[in-house]
Amino acid sequence: MTPAERLSKATVAERALRLADEEGVDAITIRRLAKELSVTPMALYWHFKNKDELLLGVVDHVLTDVRADRSAGDPWQKQLRAIVETVVGVMRAHPSLPDLLHSTDKTQTPSFTRATNDTLALLADAGFDVEESYWIAMYLLNGAIGLVAGQPDCPASVPADQAEEWRRQKRVQMECLPVDQFPMMVEFAKTFQRAPDLERYYAFGTDLLMSAVEAMATRRS
């Protein structure tokens, strides 16, 4: 069996996703991907007619596991939180996902449409009408994007063996601020003495996103 015959949509999408994570969405081209997979560009056109269709395929692939388990019988709060946690987890694993979502019409992908529909159904259970539910769904999606983009500690471009020195320099920089003008920032500088607890950060951020939805639902009831 030739490399072209072994190709599947999932294989192509997975390799394109890895390329986007490593080099950015602009690195994804049919020609570059064909070279990465050791096939001709025509072999990829069998699955995706053009780059736009390829990007949609990547989005659809990466969001496959974002769904509500409607058979579990859990309350809507627990199921909605699970969706948010899954989205955040996927974005942590694939830093290119926000750019992919912004560069495609994600509503054309089955995975995104299903995840949105699941979210709207859960929010209907919470007492919101369908328009409000969609607003909330977009708030949660953009909140998840912001949560990952705002992850504390050094930028991804800083090598792991240089992270401690980056934190030290950041702490010193902030400690040199005029304490009479920026007392809280100087106090915050102490947090750079250690690596942040990222799991605590993401749990806190998810609580923050969910608390607004839950508080509004409580007022409705």
Side-chain angles (χ1 to χ4, degrees):
M1 186 177 290
T2 66
E5 290 172 326
R6 288 196 299 268
L7 279 182
S8 66
K9 272 194 170 185
T11 300
V12 176
E14 185 62 35
R15 190 64 192 89
L17 178 62
R18 193 184 343 159
L19 192 59
D21 287 339
E22 293 172 354
E23 300 182 31
V25 174
D26 289 343
I28 300 178
T29 65
I30 296 292
R31 186 173 297 277
R32 172 72 184 276
L33 198 54
K35 183 178 180 181
E36 295 277 333
L37 293 166
S38 301
V39 297
T40 66
M42 288 304 298
L44 300 187
Y45 288 125
W46 179 261
H47 297 296
F48 302 103
K49 295 177 182 178
N50 50 49
K51 180 176 178 177
D52 289 341
E53 194 171 294
L54 171 60
L55 293 180
L56 287 171
V58 176
V59 171
D60 189 46
H61 175 73
V62 75
L63 295 179
T64 298
D65 293 329
V66 181
R67 63 179 69 218
D69 186 355
R70 300 295 293 169
S71 64
D74 289 328
W76 68 266
Q77 295 94 328
K78 186 173 182 180
Q79 293 195 57
L80 185 60
R81 177 180 290 269
I83 288 180
V84 173
E85 289 173 343
T86 302
V87 170
V88 169
V90 170
M91 288 187 177
R92 290 177 68 182
H94 300 291
S96 65
L97 182 53
D99 285 343
L100 283 165
L101 292 174
H102 287 136
S103 60
T104 62
D105 181 2
K106 50 190 176 291
T107 61
Q108 293 187 43
T109 64
S111 292
F112 182 85
T113 302
R114 185 200 57 247
T116 305
N117 190 79
D118 286 354
T119 302
L120 298 184
L122 292 172
L123 291 166
D125 291 346
F128 298 99
D129 67 38
V130 70
E131 187 174 29
E132 293 169 335
S133 296
Y134 188 80
W135 295 339
I136 294 170
M138 292 306 101
Y139 152 78
L140 292 172
L141 174 61
N142 287 295
I145 292 173
L147 193 61
V148 177
Q151 178 176 298
D153 207 13
C154 52
S157 58
V158 177
D161 61 353
Q162 297 177 24
E164 187 174 348
E165 175 59 18
W166 182 92
R167 292 187 203 102
R168 187 193 69 80
Q169 292 182 17
K170 194 71 174 177
R171 176 174 55 81
V172 170
Q173 176 189 357
M174 296 180 74
E175 286 177 341
C176 289
L177 291 169
V179 70
D180 58 327
Q181 297 180 47
F182 309 108
M184 298 308 297
M185 294 300 292
V186 174
E187 177 69 17
F188 179 68
K190 296 177 183 177
T191 65
F192 287 96
Q193 293 175 349
R194 52 171 172 73
D197 183 343
L198 292 182
E199 299 314 310
R200 179 183 172 222
Y201 164 77
Y202 281 108
F204 182 90
T206 301
D207 283 345
L208 198 60
L209 289 172
M210 287 294 302
S211 63
V213 182
E214 292 171 351
M216 289 187 73
T218 298
R219 288 200 298 271
R220 293 294 179 88
S221 62

